[in-house]
Amino acid sequence: MEIKIGEDINTRIDLYLSEKLDFSRSKVVKMLKDGVILVNGKPVKNSYTLKKGDIIEVGEYHEEEMSLEPENIPLDIVYEDEDVIVVNKPNGMVVHPAVGNNHGTLVNALLYHSKNLSNINGEFRPGIVHRIDAYTTGLLMVAKNNKAHEVLAHELEEKKTYRKYVALVWGVINEDTATIDAPIGRDINDRKKMSVTRINSKDAITHLRVLKRFKEVTLIELKLETGRTHQIRVHMNYIGHPVVNDPIYGNRKLIDDSGQCLHAKEIGFIHPTKNEYMEFTSELPDKFINIMNKFD
């Protein structure tokens, strides 16, 4: 279907199409993200304001039914009280369900573990304040009620949450410390990837420090000022040192199928009701260490 805008309507594309096509706004947003809807032959954000002369192309879209069920999946819980859960996520576990992946997620496990989870992020993301990639391991904070969720989300937004990652990256980094300040947005050639770009991007800042240098790789720790999708993986690939065993970024050989060598090692935050600073740490998983030992 093709729609031509004949006048200046000064309306966001998601609002315009949800009314024009009688679709829910969330469905329109999904179609925009998946590149099913294009404006003048290019993907746009859901906040794009339509202009006179714009041509909207709407492709075929078949939405899969989603369900959300509690599942008895073991969780490595580092800390829990009436407001917060800190969980150590294993390699390969997706944080929340999505179309085509309804089962085996952290959310499925959390629903079985606790009857109390915040619902601010919607039906399919109960308790989820922030995410890490499926093949990134390590610490996540989960909110058990909406008040806790609001406080923790505000801390993240205000950059008050402390997050430290450890990664093994290809190549030898000569500098002992570095800061990568490069905006990240959706890759214009592959909508499933992110990239450093000035187009429809957001500021992204990563600080790194070298822990150990090997002949072919470097062990580093990273601290985030911002929390963009795939931020560490994109930034390290951008400077020519992609994360070892990353299947998407860097085009480097995979050592095995045990996941990328990126671990959310430490997290710190002010407790939403106790108003006390709390910090947690987790050890590098065995699979990460096994890959690192291959280069020692």
Side-chain angles (χ1 to χ4, degrees):
M1 177 192 296
E2 187 174 286
I3 303 169
K4 185 170 184 179
I5 305 301
E7 56 184 339
D8 282 318
I9 55 176
N10 196 33
T11 303
R12 288 167 52 126
I13 188 170
D14 55 353
L15 300 176
Y16 174 81
L17 287 179
S18 62
E19 184 175 335
K20 178 85 172 175
L21 303 176
D22 196 24
F23 288 171
S24 69
R25 183 166 163 267
S26 61
K27 180 174 180 178
V28 172
V29 170
K30 286 179 185 177
M31 293 171 73
L32 286 163
K33 282 185 176 180
D34 292 344
V36 178
I37 297 173
L38 303 175
V39 177
N40 305 322
K42 296 179 180 178
V44 296
K45 287 189 172 183
N46 61 295
S47 58
Y48 176 82
T49 301
L50 292 166
K51 302 185 292 293
K52 183 178 180 179
D54 280 345
I55 298 174
I56 305 172
E57 299 170 56
V58 182
E60 291 289 327
Y61 188 73
H62 302 287
E63 196 165 18
E64 185 179 322
E65 288 285 329
M66 278 183 59
S67 61
L68 186 57
E69 301 292 337
E71 295 180 33
N72 187 8
I73 303 170
L75 287 172
D76 181 6
I77 294 175
V78 178
Y79 173 83
E80 182 176 8
D81 60 24
E82 64 273 14
D83 297 302
V84 178
I85 301 172
V86 178
V87 62
N88 191 28
K89 189 187 79 66
N91 169 59
M93 177 180 273
V94 175
V95 170
H96 60 77
V99 173
N101 187 27
N102 290 353
H103 303 287
T105 73
L106 178 63
V107 162
N108 294 111
L110 287 168
L111 284 171
Y112 186 90
H113 173 77
S114 175
K115 298 188 186 311
N116 300 312
L117 295 170
S118 67
N119 60 14
I120 286 178
N121 264 348
E123 177 186 359
F124 295 102
R125 301 184 185 186
I128 302 303
V129 182
H130 65 122
R131 297 177 295 170
I132 57 178
D133 301 334
Y135 293 98
T136 298
T137 54
L139 299 175
L140 278 166
M141 54 185 181
V142 175
K144 294 180 75 174
N145 56 67
N146 287 356
K147 180 184 176 183
H149 191 126
E150 288 172 352
V151 174
L152 293 172
H154 183 70
E155 284 188 41
L156 276 168
E157 188 177 344
E158 295 296 313
K159 302 176 183 177
K160 294 178 180 177
T161 307
Y162 170 71
R163 288 174 291 169
K164 182 192 284 185
Y165 291 74
V166 173
L168 191 68
V169 299
W170 286 107
V172 179
I173 298 176
N174 295 319
E175 298 82 3
D176 291 334
T177 62
T179 295
I180 308 164
D181 185 349
I184 291 175
R186 190 70 57 180
D187 192 304
I188 60 173
N189 297 313
D190 185 346
R191 298 291 294 169
K192 294 181 180 179
K193 293 173 64 175
M194 308 300 288
S195 67
V196 170
T197 175
R198 296 288 174 187
I199 302 171
N200 293 327
S201 58
K202 293 182 179 180
D203 291 343
I205 301 172
T206 305
H207 305 284
L208 71 85
R209 183 171 73 89
V210 170
L211 297 176
K212 185 176 181 179
R213 295 179 179 92
F214 300 83
K215 190 175 281 188
E216 297 178 71
V217 297
T218 306
L219 183 69
I220 60 175
E221 68 175 25
L222 306 108
K223 294 179 183 177
L224 300 182
E225 270 197 40
T226 53
R228 308 305 175 208
T229 302
H230 299 175
Q231 179 171 321
I232 289 174
R233 299 164 65 194
V234 171
H235 270 174
M236 295 314 300
N237 186 45
Y238 175 67
I239 66 170
H241 296 283
V243 173
V244 171
N245 231 28
D246 188 329
I248 296 176
Y249 298 98
N251 296 320
R252 300 295 184 100
K253 64 183 179 181
L254 296 182
I255 307 299
D256 55 31
D257 62 355
S258 63
Q260 58 214 14
C261 292
L262 178 58
H263 180 66
K265 183 173 176 59
E266 297 178 14
I267 192 165
F269 55 88
I270 300 170
H271 192 280
T273 57
K274 297 178 183 177
N275 205 32
E276 299 173 357
Y277 179 74
M278 308 183 78
E279 191 171 300
F280 304 93
T281 188
S282 67
E283 296 304 315
L284 290 176
D286 290 341
K287 290 181 177 181
F288 187 124
I289 294 171
N290 289 342
I291 291 176
M292 185 168 61
N293 286 343
K294 294 178 187 292
F295 298 98
D296 206 352

